[in-house]
């Protein structure tokens, strides 16, 4: 019995798959089907990201080719496309024309919106089923420490709340062209370059007007006829789930594409800051001494600078620089927040890195003559990535709220690129009127998203290190007991 177990553990994963391929093939076929249903969306996003990245490099070839390919795939039909479930149409006096199954625009949009989140829920559920399938049929060990981490996270309701909020936020950003009732090209970037039809009740005819002109007649600037509020139509038959801006543009579309900007800046800055922090933590834990002292002094110097003042100063200095024109200032903020945030991440993982550097397996690797880079990458880095994930998710929420604050001050992402803080800024004078939605809804979303990232990081931290929650509880209990005595 013991010999059979040893042989099964030593058996490569490829051999285990060949011996029992059924569950893996079933899961793989399901995943391929889910991906094919939205294949053009993924290819559009991938090619667009590659083209955008090449466009950031002066003289790099292929940027236009990738952009053209991205535009081609964006026009192909897919399960959740606007062409398949359209919500843009007009009322001809008797019925809605051009909408999905002739439904009212609000119901057509709501169907597409719910299908997007249902699709994401099914996709995430299928990925979880794949993990369960691997654990049941193909993993050699019956138990690993990861099982306990996942089980603790599944019972951490505050962390699950954060996970739900983060998934909602990321889905809104990833599927922004679909979840909005209109497109960014029509509603935000070039409203006067696109036409629309609407039914004129006075003349009982179908008229054509530019979207820019329609926006002027749909502005939210106070009360009464000067407001298009939550869950309402404007005078041109367009449905607005959360109302319009003072310019008449759809607020929900603005928020969806603004989520993309916030997520891009947050993830980009955390990726760079995390790479810097991890590299320095490994180097200082391995070499210690002078290397650690240099990094300590450098991080202290960076943290001693007033972060907000530094960002404002850099924004003004680089206002007319070419780097400030990349993605309307998003790349500049990525670099600035990476520069400001890496010391905090480095201090968060420095302790675990020093602990790992003292372990026996690291000494054994050194005695066998392995190169320092190999030791740091293979034997040390895996043990600090969990801590980095926790503190990076905590910091990411701070980056999002910082970008919104700068946009509120007029120093953030430049127009017409949407950003949540700018919506709060332009709507603050109407907060006491019926147009309160312009400022309040983005403010609620910012608070919810930041809270969600913090809750998720709390859940991951407690799942990875259960003693952290127990220690806090024990300290609180001791304090309570002492006070009662």
């Amino acid at each position: 019995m013991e010999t059979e177990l040893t042989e099964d553990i030593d058996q490569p994963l490829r051999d285990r798959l060949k011996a029992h391929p059924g569950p893996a093939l079933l899961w793989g076929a399901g995943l391929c089907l889910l991906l094919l249903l939205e294949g053009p969306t993924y290819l559009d996003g991938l090619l667009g990201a590659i083209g955008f990245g090449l466009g950031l490099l002066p003289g790099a070839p292929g940027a236009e080719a990738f952009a053209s390919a991205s535009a081609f795939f964006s026009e192909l039909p897919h399960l959740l496309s606007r062409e398949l479930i359209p919500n843009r149409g007009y009322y001809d006096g008797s019925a809605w024309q051009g909408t999905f199954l002739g439904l009212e625009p609000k119901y057509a949009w709501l169907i597409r919106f719910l299908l997007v989140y249902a699709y994401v829920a099914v996709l995430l559920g299928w990925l979880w089923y794949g993990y369960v399938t691997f654990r049941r049929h193909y993993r050699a060990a019956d138990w690993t420490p990861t099982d306990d981490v996942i089980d603790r996270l599944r019972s951490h309701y505050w962390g699950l709340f954060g996970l739900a909020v983060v998934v909602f936020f990321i889905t809104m950003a990833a599927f922004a062209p679909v979840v909005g009732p209109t497109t960014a090209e029509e509603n935000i970037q070039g409203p006067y370059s696109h036409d629309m039809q609407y039914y004129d009740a006075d003349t009982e005819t179908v008229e054509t007007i530019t979207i820019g002109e329609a926006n002027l007649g749909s502005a939210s600037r106070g009360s009464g006829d000067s407001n298009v509020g939550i869950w309402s139509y404007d005078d041109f038959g367009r449905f607005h789930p959360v109302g319009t801006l003072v310019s008449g543009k759809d607020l929900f579309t603005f928020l969806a594409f603004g989520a993309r900007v916030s997520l891009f800046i947050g993830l980009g800055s955390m990726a760079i800051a995390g790479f810097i922090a991890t590299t320095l933590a490994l180097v200082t834990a391995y070499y210690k001494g002078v290397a650690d002292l240099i990094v300590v002094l450098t991080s202290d110097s960076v943290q001693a600078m007033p972060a907000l003042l530094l960002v404002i100063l850099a924004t003004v200095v680089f206002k007319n620089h070419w780097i400030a024109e990349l993605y309307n200032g998003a790349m500049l903020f990525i670099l600035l927040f990476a520069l400001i945030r890496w010391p905090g991440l480095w201090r968060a993982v420095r302790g675990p890195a020093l602990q790992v550097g003292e372990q026996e397996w690291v000494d054994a690797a050194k005695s066998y003559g392995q190169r320092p880079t190999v030791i740091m990458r293979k034997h040390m880095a895996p043990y600090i990535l969990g801590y980095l994930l926790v503190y990076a998710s905590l910091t990411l929420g701070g980056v999002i709220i910082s970008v919104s604050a700068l946009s509120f001050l007029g120093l953030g992402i430049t127009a017409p690129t949407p950003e949540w803080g700018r919506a709060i800024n332009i709507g603050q004078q109407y907060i006491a009127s019926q147009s309160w939605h312009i400022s309040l809804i983005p403010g609620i979303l910012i608070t919810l998203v930041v809270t969600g990232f913090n809750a998720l990081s709390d859940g991951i931290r407690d799942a990875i290190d259960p003693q952290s929650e127990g220690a806090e509880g024990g300290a609180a209990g001791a304090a309570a007991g002492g006070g009662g005595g």
Side-chain angles (χ1 to χ4, degrees), residues 158-159 161-163 165-166 393-394 396-398 400-401 443-459:
W158 179 237
F161 165 76
L163 178 62
V165 172
V166 170
S393 59
L394 275 171
L396 193 147
I400 291 175
I401 199 169
I444 292 175
L445 283 179
I446 292 172
T447 304
L448 187 62
V449 169
V450 173
T451 303
F453 275 108
N454 291 342
L456 178 60
S457 63
D458 287 344

Side-chain angles (χ1 to χ4, degrees), residues 141-358:
D142 293 332
W143 173 89
T144 65
T146 305
D147 295 341
D148 287 345
V149 172
I150 293 176
D151 290 340
R152 286 192 290 266
L153 183 59
R154 291 174 64 187
S155 61
H156 197 290
Y157 296 111
W158 179 237
L160 293 178
F161 165 76
L163 178 62
V165 172
V166 170
V167 169
F168 178 87
F169 173 67
I170 294 177
T171 301
M172 175 183 284
F175 289 88
V178 180
V179 297
T182 184
T183 64
E185 292 78 10
E186 295 181 357
N187 190 68
I188 299 174
Q189 297 172 355
Y192 287 96
S193 301
H194 297 84
D195 297 330
M196 60 166 290
Q197 291 180 312
Y198 73 99
Y199 178 73
D200 191 336
D202 296 333
T203 61
E204 297 184 351
T205 58
V206 177
E207 303 290 342
T208 301
I209 189 175
T210 66
I211 294 179
E213 293 175 316
N215 287 345
L216 292 177
S218 306
S220 294
R221 297 180 179 177
S223 306
D225 294 336
S226 300
N227 178 67
V228 179
I230 297 177
W231 208 257
S232 61
Y233 292 90
D234 59 22
D235 293 337
F236 303 93
R238 299 180 301 176
F239 174 66
H240 302 282
V242 292
T244 63
L245 294 163
V246 295
S247 60
K249 297 176 180 179
D250 181 69
L251 178 56
F252 192 94
T253 304
F254 186 94
L255 295 176
F257 282 91
R260 276 192 163 186
V261 176
S262 298
L263 187 64
F264 176 70
I265 295 175
L267 292 180
S269 60
M270 285 302 98
I272 298 175
F275 176 78
I276 296 173
T278 302
T279 302
L280 293 179
L282 295 174
V283 170
T284 55
Y286 186 87
Y287 291 105
K288 304 180 181 67
V290 176
D292 187 53
L293 179 61
I294 292 174
V295 178
V296 167
L297 293 176
T298 304
S299 66
D300 287 345
S301 300
V302 174
Q303 288 186 312
M305 294 185 291
L308 182 59
L309 185 60
L310 178 64
V311 173
I312 293 175
L313 179 63
T315 303
V316 175
V317 171
F318 289 96
K319 183 176 183 180
N320 297 320
H321 196 271
W322 64 269
I323 197 173
E325 298 177 358
L326 299 176
Y327 203 8
N328 290 326
M331 286 302 302
L332 176 60
F333 281 113
I334 287 176
L335 297 176
L336 288 175
F337 283 114
L339 175 65
I340 293 172
R341 301 287 182 170
W342 74 260
L345 293 180
W346 171 74
R347 289 187 175 277
V349 298
R350 176 175 176 264
L354 288 172
Q355 292 178 353
V356 174
E358 300 295 332

Side-chain angles (χ1 to χ4, degrees), residues 103-124:
L103 297 172
E104 281 190 42
K106 65 179 178 181
Y107 297 123
W109 169 82
L110 185 60
I111 289 174
R112 190 174 70 239
F113 177 82
L114 293 177
L115 280 177
V116 167
Y117 281 91
Y119 171 80
V120 172
V122 172
L123 179 61
L124 293 178

